[in-house]
Amino acid sequence: MEMNKDELISLYRQMLLIRTFEDKSAEMYAKAKIAGFLHLYNGQEAIAVGALSALHSDDELVTHYRDHGYALARGIDSRFVMAELYGRETGTTGGRGGSMHIASVEKHFWGGYAIVGGHLPLAVGLAYANVHHNTGRIVLCVLGDGSTNIGTFHAALNWAQLWHLPVIFLVENNMWAMGTAISIHSSVIEIYKKAAAHEMYAERVDGKDVLAVHDAVCKLAERARSGEGPSLLEAVTYRYRGHSMADSDVQRSKEEINEQKQRDPLTMYLTNVLLKRNLLTDEQESQIHHEVEAEVDEAVAFADASAEPALDTLYDKIYAQPVANMQIDGSLIRPAALYTGNGTHG
Amino acid sequence: MAEITFREALKRALREELTRDPDVVIWGEDIVAYGGGGAYAVTAGLAKEFPGRVRDTPIAEEAIVGVGIGAAMGGVRPIVELMTINFALVAWDQIVNHAAKLHHMFNGQIKVPMVMRSPAGFGRTAATHSQNFDSWLASVPGLKVVEPATPYDAKGLLKAAIRDDDPVFFIEHLQLYGTRGEVPDTEYLIPLGVSERKREGRHLTVVTWGRMLVETMKAAKVLSGEGIELDVIDLRTLRPMDLSLAMQSVKRTNRAMVVEEGWRSMGIGAEVAATLQEQVFNYLDAPIARVAGLEVPMPYAKNLERATVPFSDDVVAAARAMMTNQY
Ligand SMILES: Cc1ncc(C[n+]2csc(CCOP(=O)(O)OP(=O)(O)O)c2C)c(N)n1
């Protein structure tokens, strides 16, 4: 898909927004505004931005827990994402899910999922639903290299291929699964080759090259849309930070990380494409920087100003359809009759 | 009213719902071709009647449940069959971490209107094929768990489960498939989360469900001959659990017993007994009794299997002991 100048600039802006957002999140984590697991996306920005720019805005998106980049690239308001990291009522899931479970079903982002491989069958089912309802929408399912060894990976690929469903499995191969290097965790280093076990079409792309990712996903989306079935795309990349903010990252060498930073997706795109083709001036570039920083500052201010979810909403939405005599007493779901009878309970 | 089998009642529920709603689909292992449809023949013939909507799947329980969840998220209403509940363990992550969590974790943005049907219980199939996971499933917030005892309930509850917007685990006891009971030809639904008094009696409240309801009713006949009248409450839904009838009953009988097939420790019986003593302690004249399965991996040998699982005679013995204050 040819992109015009504005679209090309927008790719850069989105990547910069993600990087700035992630750096700010790390800062807020250090300040204990954010807790638990926080998996940052620094270094991998070109994949989310390249992939989503190749899809329709109503194509279905399902990702793993490293999901902020996808949320922002899908156009979810950065204030709501930051508020979710804070666990506030204005967050994308009202403080229920946190960092690993950002979602906006309205924008066809069905969420980040935190059980390795657990979301792959869901993506296949979602693809089925779209075929069943003849919507023409396809599904992008994002996972890491470490998620290609678990049973659901193979079960999902087999099923998707067997039923010929419109889903793209996008593997972000950042060479590490938590603290385990790919050579230690996988018998196959070139991950895309695993698709061959299911006779699924697969490709490998430079995950640091946003335009290459964009082109690859365009092609695979076209395949899926025209009824040629599922595919797998391996995007080779690297993450700059530890697995999560809880990771001391002693297992990776400084040399390895520094070497990877020599091929930075943002810098490469800025210098080799935008500046080289005179699509952007230095002034415009610093203007974008200012805007992005202001947006992220605003997101933090918004999260800081937002309230925690109200305690009396604790039991909300456990069931979509509560049954007739289900009532809450603070610790258990009990029949309503309990409260009208003359039991010994207070 | 015609008498039909439990199996036929389930099939009628499936057929009616497939006919009513084009979004209903049925997926599972060996539910189409094998033996005409299903390891226990519940789906026999349905694939022919509803082409494309009743499909065989790979042997991959994590995917059967997981793909079902995804389809449900997207507005399909899948009924997935797990060949036996023992294989649900392979799908435990999908059931507990996904089906049960998504509505709440995503703050109501996602619904999972899916039914997981599965046969449970024993049948000379040894340790890995004879289990009940009632209490495990029923302890998970976000799941609904249903286990009918009669053909009438099986049909009405399954239809309600299919129309429900939450994930429902629907447990079918293997020994019940061939049992018979009256089922009307006209349509009816039975709401989830509502228990039912299956027998009126004034001496002892028995709380039970599934196959143990059948055994309890047999026991009630024997005991009635001895002047002991059981008040039998069928839970029908294990989560959310409705103990309102059981509590009312205890206020009249002043004695309660819980009868379950599964392992005793940490069982449903423990939960029911704990709640009853919290709520109606002042009405109890005796400790609450539990009749339950013995805690051994199920042996194959006929006599050992028979000794492991409770039957009506166990209920009779426990009831006699209770009524003579020997429990
Ligand atoms: C089933 C399961 N096992 C273990 C974990 C803990 N865990 C979370 S992420 C992760 C590594 C996954 O690596 P990869 O798939 O390569 O994704 P990345 O984090 O590199 O993006 C592990 C072991 C988990 N969440 N789920």
Side-chain angles (χ1 to χ4, degrees):
Chain A
M1 193 161 53
E2 262 327 293
M3 282 183 283
N4 64 32
K5 182 178 162 183
D6 285 347
E7 287 166 334
L8 288 167
I9 293 172
S10 162
L11 297 185
Y12 179 69
R13 191 185 192 287
Q14 290 177 58
M15 290 196 287
L16 190 65
L17 174 65
I18 295 170
R19 174 136 332 156
T20 311
F21 184 95
E22 296 295 62
D23 286 341
K24 185 61 84 177
S25 303
E27 198 184 315
M28 294 302 120
Y29 189 91
K31 287 187 180 164
K33 300 269 190 180
I34 300 170
F37 290 129
L38 183 72
H39 307 87
L40 301 180
Y41 197 58
N42 301 56
Q44 303 182 209
E45 299 89 344
I47 305 178
V49 171
L52 291 187
S53 64
L55 297 180
H56 300 167
S57 62
D58 65 349
D59 282 330
E60 320 285 13
L61 173 64
V62 181
T63 76
H64 58 349
Y65 44 82
R66 200 177 296 286
D67 57 2
H68 314 164
Y70 283 91
L72 297 172
R74 210 359 111 83
I76 299 175
D77 193 320
S78 56
R79 293 175 306 165
F80 305 154
V81 181
M82 186 61 80
E84 189 56 39
L85 306 193
Y86 270 56
R88 300 298 162 95
E89 69 175 3
T90 52
T92 45
T93 63
R96 269 59 176 184
S99 158
M100 303 193 287
H101 307 295
I102 307 294
S104 170
V105 170
E106 193 185 276
K107 291 192 184 298
H108 297 265
F109 179 22
W110 295 84
Y113 292 81
I115 302 297
V116 161
H119 59 302
L120 274 65
L122 273 55
V124 175
L126 207 47
Y128 174 85
N130 280 286
V131 171
H132 187 96
H133 293 130
N134 214 355
T135 64
R137 294 195 286 262
I138 65 169
V139 177
L140 180 72
C141 176
V142 182
L143 58 146
D145 49 284
S147 310
T148 64
N149 303 313
I150 200 161
T152 47
F153 172 78
H154 294 284
L157 262 66
N158 176 57
W159 194 312
Q161 185 67 30
L162 188 67
W163 286 19
H164 218 66
L165 296 169
V167 49
I168 302 170
F169 296 98
L170 173 55
V171 183
E172 302 199 350
N173 180 2
N174 60 17
M175 320 285 204
W176 288 83
M178 231 167 121
T180 308
I182 188 163
S183 60
I184 307 292
H185 77 62
S186 182
S187 62
V188 176
I189 302 296
E190 293 169 280
I191 296 288
Y192 76 100
K193 290 183 176 168
K194 293 188 181 189
H198 307 281
E199 298 192 347
M200 184 180 288
Y201 182 81
E203 284 188 9
R204 190 177 219 213
V205 70
D206 177 2
K208 293 188 173 190
D209 180 342
V210 67
L211 294 181
V213 173
H214 173 91
D215 289 346
V217 174
C218 277
K219 177 176 155 191
L220 299 180
E222 183 52 38
R223 274 181 57 96
R225 252 185 261 286
S226 60
E228 287 177 70
S231 57
L232 182 144
L233 180 65
E234 174 189 0
V236 182
T237 184
Y238 198 80
R239 73 171 143 69
Y240 292 167
R241 292 179 176 274
H243 171 69
S244 75
M245 288 300 288
D247 177 7
S248 63
D249 208 9
V250 292
Q251 62 277 3
R252 300 192 305 176
S253 70
K254 289 275 166 303
E255 294 73 47
E256 178 178 310
I257 299 171
N258 284 335
E259 191 191 311
Q260 286 287 346
K261 285 184 174 172
Q262 299 309 304
R263 291 191 73 246
D264 178 65
L266 276 71
T267 314
M268 286 198 301
Y269 183 59
L270 180 67
T271 38
N272 301 347
V273 180
L274 296 184
L275 297 178
K276 194 166 170 187
R277 291 197 213 158
N278 291 321
L279 295 167
L280 201 66
T281 63
D282 286 337
E283 260 164 44
Q284 286 166 323
E285 203 264 324
S286 67
Q287 171 74 12
I288 292 175
H289 260 273
H290 286 308
E291 285 169 13
V292 161
E293 265 158 35
E295 175 175 341
V296 172
D297 286 344
E298 158 86 29
V300 166
F302 177 82
D304 269 317
S306 293
E308 292 184 314
L311 264 185
D312 65 5
T313 63
L314 181 59
Y315 277 98
D316 288 358
K317 297 170 188 160
I318 295 173
Y319 293 98
Q321 195 177 321
V323 305
N325 58 355
M326 193 164 92
Q327 195 171 312
I328 309 305
D329 81 346
S331 64
L332 280 172
I333 293 171
R334 294 260 175 79
L338 230 171
Y339 301 87
T340 52
N342 50 359
T344 53
H345 195 259
Chain B
M1 245 190 296
E3 279 214 346
I4 60 169
T5 60
F6 192 91
R7 172 184 288 113
E8 176 63 21
L10 291 169
K11 191 201 288 186
R12 285 191 192 173
L14 296 174
R15 181 186 287 122
E16 286 177 18
E17 293 306 299
L18 281 161
T19 306
R20 184 187 61 82
D21 182 352
D23 278 335
V24 173
V25 297
I26 307 182
W27 300 337
E29 293 161 14
D30 289 310
I31 65 167
V32 175
Y34 176 84
Y40 297 95
V42 174
T43 51
L46 292 178
K48 272 217 182 74
E49 285 178 57
F50 302 95
R53 290 170 60 201
V54 180
R55 294 178 79 167
D56 277 336
T57 67
I59 307 166
E61 283 74 10
E62 71 276 48
I64 294 172
V65 175
V67 176
I69 294 169
M73 288 161 62
V76 174
R77 301 187 84 89
I79 303 162
V80 300
E81 177 172 314
L82 296 165
M83 190 181 277
T84 83
I85 205 161
N86 307 282
F87 317 143
L89 298 188
V90 176
W92 212 249
D93 171 57
Q94 290 297 330
I95 298 167
V96 179
N97 272 327
H98 293 85
K101 300 285 189 287
L102 304 191
H103 186 66
H104 186 261
M105 192 169 83
F106 292 117
N107 203 21
Q109 294 184 75
I110 290 175
K111 281 185 199 165
V112 185
M114 174 176 70
V115 179
M116 295 161 271
R117 285 185 42 243
S118 192
F122 64 96
R124 301 300 308 288
T125 46
T128 65
H129 280 61
S130 305
Q131 301 170 95
N132 293 287
F133 299 123
D134 302 3
S135 64
W136 293 13
L137 289 161
S139 74
V140 182
L143 281 186
K144 290 175 180 168
V145 184
V146 175
E147 185 167 355
T150 66
Y152 181 88
D153 285 352
K155 180 163 184 247
L157 287 167
L158 182 53
K159 283 170 66 80
I162 295 166
R163 296 185 195 189
D164 199 277
D165 279 343
D166 291 304
V168 180
F169 206 105
F170 195 90
I171 304 172
E172 303 164 6
H173 198 290
L174 280 170
Q175 303 297 334
L176 295 179
Y177 281 134
T179 58
R180 304 180 80 83
E182 289 192 340
V183 173
D185 289 330
T186 48
E187 178 169 73
Y188 64 95
L189 298 172
I190 298 175
L192 307 189
V194 180
S195 61
E196 188 183 60
R197 172 174 283 108
K198 286 290 199 304
R199 185 185 193 281
E200 182 112 27
R202 64 204 148 86
H203 296 122
L204 170 62
T205 301
V206 179
V207 180
T208 189
W209 67 96
R211 183 188 76 92
M212 292 318 299
L213 186 269
V214 176
E215 294 299 317
T216 300
M217 296 301 270
K218 283 187 214 159
K221 264 201 192 128
V222 175
L223 291 162
S224 182
E226 302 172 10
I228 302 171
E229 300 297 343
L230 301 187
D231 204 44
V232 181
I233 309 298
D234 179 2
L235 290 175
R236 301 199 293 195
T237 300
L238 300 176
R239 183 178 192 97
M241 189 181 284
D242 169 23
L243 287 177
S244 57
L245 274 184
M247 286 186 283
Q248 284 163 20
S249 171
V250 170
K251 288 179 188 173
R252 288 190 293 106
T253 64
N254 311 117
R255 283 183 160 76
M257 180 160 88
V258 195
V259 179
E260 76 185 300
E261 182 177 299
W263 299 311
R264 176 185 169 101
S265 303
M266 276 55 83
I268 299 271
E271 171 62 28
V272 172
T275 304
L276 289 180
Q277 68 84 19
E278 270 173 9
Q279 305 298 334
V280 291
F281 182 77
N282 293 344
Y283 295 88
L284 287 167
D285 287 345
I288 299 168
R290 280 186 285 168
V291 172
L294 302 190
E295 301 187 30
V296 291
M298 183 70 81
Y300 166 69
K302 188 174 181 185
N303 64 329
L304 296 180
E305 183 190 76
R306 178 70 175 74
T308 303
V309 184
F311 283 86
S312 61
D313 44 357
D314 298 291
V315 179
V316 169
R320 282 183 190 142
M322 267 202 100
M323 297 314 292
T324 52
N325 292 325
Q326 286 166 0
Y327 180 75

